[in-house]
Amino acid sequence: MSTPEPDGFVSRFDAQPTRWSMVQRAHDKSAGDGPAARQYLVMRYSPAIRSYVRAITRNEDQADDITQDVIVRLLQGDFAGADPHKGRFRDLLKTAVRNMTRNVWAKQKVRKSVEFDVSQVEQASIQEHDAAWDEGWQRNLLSLAWRRLEEYQESYASSNAHTVLKLRTDFPDDSSEELAKRLESVLHKPFRADQARQQLRRARVRFAEFLVEEVADMLEAPTPQRIEEELSSLGLLEQIRDCLPTGWANLSN
């Protein structure tokens, strides 16, 4: 008998370990899972790291080379100074990546004749770099939420969440009737317009939940207020605001 699909927004932020616990394990020399924890962090955030390094270097080839070196340093535990009391995880990671990029860049210049200048890191617009980091982080969060939605659909035979939301994203101007026809074509079973609307609504709520959980995962103390602030600062809150249930802040209690 298959597990019934959850109904509605069911997140419980206080019960979820945040990424800080993973950061601490990644740099705890006594922790046997330290290397695995570092690998997990790198794989999770490497897209954002690369886009940020590319914004700093303004060169695809250099970005690839330097990103690899930065990731190696992260895997070796060079983020050990991270402390949740000093700020947000993404801000501390951004600072670490920027400093590592500058150091790697300087070493590359010494090691071989290259045509780039370390001083460009300081001369380039910090605001521009920060915007690139936030954009990369936003894309990464959305990608993680989409991946979880796909896994969710695979876990529940009754769910078409990923399929219907992807169709709506690809064809935003479709009517409910047109969306239903597309669902029929993809899933090979009949759909009415009202069923398509219901499936879409449930998918959007589930996607919002996964996105909220991904944001909560980055915060040392993920209260609903802090989650909303983080979503807003990344330009994501308006995308899901109408999917957050009334009084959703109380779901953490």
Side-chain angles (χ1 to χ4, degrees):
M1 183 175 179
S2 61
T3 304
E5 182 182 355
D7 185 23
F9 199 97
V10 296
S11 293
R12 295 293 186 273
F13 312 124
D14 59 342
Q16 299 171 11
T18 67
R19 195 56 51 213
W20 281 111
S21 63
M22 185 68 74
V23 171
Q24 290 164 354
R25 292 209 304 276
H27 298 95
D28 182 356
K29 294 183 179 179
S30 65
D33 60 348
R38 290 194 292 273
Q39 179 74 32
Y40 180 85
L41 287 172
V42 166
M43 293 300 294
R44 188 177 182 83
Y45 299 116
S46 58
I49 291 171
R50 191 197 180 283
S51 67
Y52 186 52
V53 174
R54 185 176 63 239
I56 293 175
T57 62
R58 300 176 184 273
N59 182 290
E60 292 288 340
D61 293 335
Q62 293 170 18
D64 287 338
D65 292 342
I66 293 175
T67 297
Q68 290 178 15
D69 285 342
V70 169
I71 286 176
V72 167
R73 293 189 61 183
L74 287 171
L75 285 171
Q76 291 173 342
D78 283 9
F79 196 42
D83 183 344
H85 299 99
K86 295 180 180 178
R88 295 180 303 194
F89 174 75
R90 67 181 172 95
D91 290 339
L92 295 175
L93 181 59
K94 176 184 68 177
T95 299
V97 172
R98 183 179 64 236
N99 292 338
M100 289 179 191
T101 298
R102 186 185 186 284
N103 293 336
V104 171
W105 209 353
K107 290 179 180 178
Q108 286 190 355
K109 188 181 182 192
V110 170
R111 190 166 58 242
K112 56 186 178 181
S113 176
V114 290
E115 297 179 354
F116 51 86
D117 188 350
V118 177
S119 63
Q120 290 181 29
V121 177
E122 286 79 18
Q123 293 171 357
S125 169
I126 294 178
Q127 185 176 9
E128 181 182 350
H129 291 168
D130 287 349
W133 174 255
D134 288 348
E135 289 171 6
W137 199 264
Q138 181 196 74
R139 289 194 301 271
N140 202 51
L141 284 172
L142 290 170
S143 176
L144 290 169
W146 274 108
R147 187 185 309 163
R148 290 188 60 184
L149 190 67
E150 185 174 19
E151 292 170 351
Y152 176 86
Q153 177 171 315
E154 293 172 353
S155 299
Y156 296 97
S158 62
S159 175
N160 303 308
H162 184 270
T163 300
V164 69
L165 192 58
K166 186 67 168 60
L167 285 172
R168 170 55 77 202
T169 302
D170 292 342
F171 305 98
D173 298 324
D174 271 7
S175 65
S176 296
E177 289 76 12
E178 291 169 327
L179 179 60
K181 289 180 180 179
R182 292 190 190 278
L183 279 170
E184 286 185 1
S185 176
V186 172
L187 299 175
H188 307 294
K189 58 183 179 181
F191 277 92
R192 301 189 308 269
D194 62 316
Q195 290 176 319
R197 286 194 298 271
Q198 182 184 41
Q199 291 276 353
L200 179 61
R201 173 62 186 176
R202 296 184 70 177
R204 294 186 67 221
V205 168
R206 195 62 61 209
F207 183 84
E209 179 180 20
F210 292 147
L211 190 58
V212 163
E213 289 178 357
E214 290 300 331
V215 170
D217 191 52
M218 301 184 305
L219 302 175
E220 191 256 339
T223 65
Q225 181 179 0
R226 293 190 65 189
I227 292 169
E228 284 200 0
E229 290 172 352
E230 187 73 355
L231 283 166
S232 180
S233 70
L234 289 168
L236 294 170
L237 182 59
E238 292 307 314
Q239 296 187 34
I240 64 170
R241 187 189 294 275
D242 64 345
C243 295
L244 299 175
T246 302
W248 78 279
N250 296 325
L251 289 174
S252 63
N253 296 328

